Amino acid sequence: MGVDIGSTASKSVILENGKKIVATAVVDVGAGTSGPSRVMSEVLEKANLTMDDISFTMATGYGRNALEEADMQMSELSCHAKGAHFLFPNVHTIIDIGGQDAKALKIGDGGHLENFVMNDKCAAGTGRFLDVIARVLEVDVSDLQDLDAKATKDVTISSTCTVFAESEVISQLAKGTKIEDIVKGIHYSIASRVGSLAKRIGLKDDVVFTGGVALNKGMVRALEQNTGYKIHTSPMCQLNGALGAALFAYQKQRNLERKSKKLV
């Protein structure tokens, strides 16, 4: 089992024999909440299993060190690299937008993490930024991609600060700018900030977009325009870290089994 305890959501994946995804779960609350225990209960229920059936549990994400049920903890960077390589064997660049940070990872030919850059000091360019803007626009975050698709003109949101960007959005609303056009402008503002992170480590195909924000097709389009690369996504994008943790859990369990056989 892999458990990814993020800042705004908890995710879990159960693997069988390191290959077959048996069950997945996402709970929309993260570190310091009931999210981790709830997501584990949910994924076990979906798989019709109990914790006694799980051979090894690996935790990752912000809250990984607080998960008592975990056998081991692993860096979220390593888990993202592992999960993305499982889904996209030719991955060389990962762009991940989480609830409170954004990061770009450079991946080697074998799926190993070679380098990374991260923005974790400012909410701009993160899922939290989109939450703030959605609240100002009085829409649901899940509606942003559909609104983006209906945009008819380009609106520039130039500020790289969430507070100032919020003021820009309010100013655009006061001018009568359509919400659809503002949403597209916000997506391009985030793409510009996150795209610059990716360019610092050097973009190389395949470019894979992970994190919950990768479910937003408007953000995918904005990143493609900003980077000039085809952006690959998966329905598993939000679960990528948990998947990587589950893959590491399988490896650790196999290593323990080998050591046990040698001792015998």
Side-chain angles (χ1 to χ4, degrees):
M1 176 190 287
V3 185
D4 180 7
I5 307 168
S7 58
T8 58
S10 301
K11 293 82 66 176
S12 186
V13 172
I14 293 177
L15 282 182
E16 181 180 354
N17 296 326
K19 295 180 180 179
K20 181 183 178 182
I21 297 173
V22 175
T24 67
V26 178
V27 172
D28 289 332
V29 281
T33 71
S34 63
S37 62
R38 286 168 56 193
V39 80
M40 291 175 71
S41 296
E42 186 175 322
V43 77
L44 286 166
E45 183 178 347
K46 285 183 176 180
N48 195 27
L49 298 171
T50 69
M51 280 303 294
D52 290 336
D53 299 311
I54 304 299
S55 59
F56 201 100
T57 300
M58 182 73 75
T60 191
Y62 282 106
R64 63 183 180 273
N65 293 317
L67 190 68
E68 295 180 358
E69 296 87 346
D71 296 296
M72 192 174 176
Q73 297 78 34
M74 182 68 71
S75 156
E76 62 185 285
L77 295 168
S78 296
C79 288
H80 275 292
K82 192 78 167 176
H85 184 255
F86 179 87
L87 296 171
F88 299 94
N90 295 320
V91 61
H92 286 99
T93 307
I94 299 172
I95 296 173
D96 180 82
I97 301 181
Q100 292 188 351
D101 68 22
K103 44 193 172 284
L105 288 68
K106 182 180 180 181
I107 309 299
D109 289 337
H112 302 293
L113 176 66
E114 292 187 344
N115 194 12
F116 73 94
V117 288
M118 180 183 293
N119 161 38
D120 59 355
K121 304 299 182 186
C122 174
T126 70
R128 178 63 67 195
F129 185 32
L130 287 174
D131 288 339
V132 170
I133 298 304
R135 177 178 52 78
V136 173
L137 296 176
E138 296 183 291
V139 300
D140 193 273
V141 172
S142 62
D143 295 329
L144 294 178
Q145 66 174 354
D146 293 331
L147 290 166
D148 179 289
K150 297 174 183 176
T152 57
K153 69 174 187 176
D154 294 333
V155 172
T156 300
I157 305 295
S158 58
S159 179
T160 57
C161 169
T162 301
V163 175
F164 293 145
E166 184 178 353
S167 297
E168 279 193 71
V169 168
I170 292 171
S171 177
Q172 290 289 347
L173 288 171
K175 292 177 184 177
T177 305
K178 291 181 179 180
I179 288 178
E180 294 91 334
D181 297 330
I182 294 174
V183 169
K184 184 178 180 181
I186 286 295
H187 286 159
Y188 278 91
S189 175
I190 295 174
S192 176
R193 188 175 183 87
V194 177
S196 67
L197 282 179
K199 290 166 188 174
R200 281 166 57 188
I201 62 167
L203 285 155
K204 182 180 177 183
D205 281 328
D206 285 354
V207 181
V208 175
F209 185 13
T210 64
V213 178
L215 295 169
N216 180 334
K217 292 183 176 63
M219 270 305 313
V220 175
R221 287 192 293 269
L223 273 173
E224 286 183 333
Q225 181 162 332
N226 178 269
T227 63
Y229 281 80
K230 166 70 178 175
I231 303 294
H232 299 271
T233 62
S234 163
M236 289 283 293
C237 59
Q238 189 174 13
L239 289 149
N240 186 63
L243 173 60
L247 289 163
F248 275 121
Y250 173 73
Q251 283 188 352
K252 292 296 181 181
Q253 179 60 30
R254 291 286 289 166
N255 290 339
L256 289 173
E257 290 172 358
R258 292 191 189 100
K259 288 179 181 179
S260 178
K261 287 180 180 178
K262 286 182 180 179
L263 290 173
V264 172

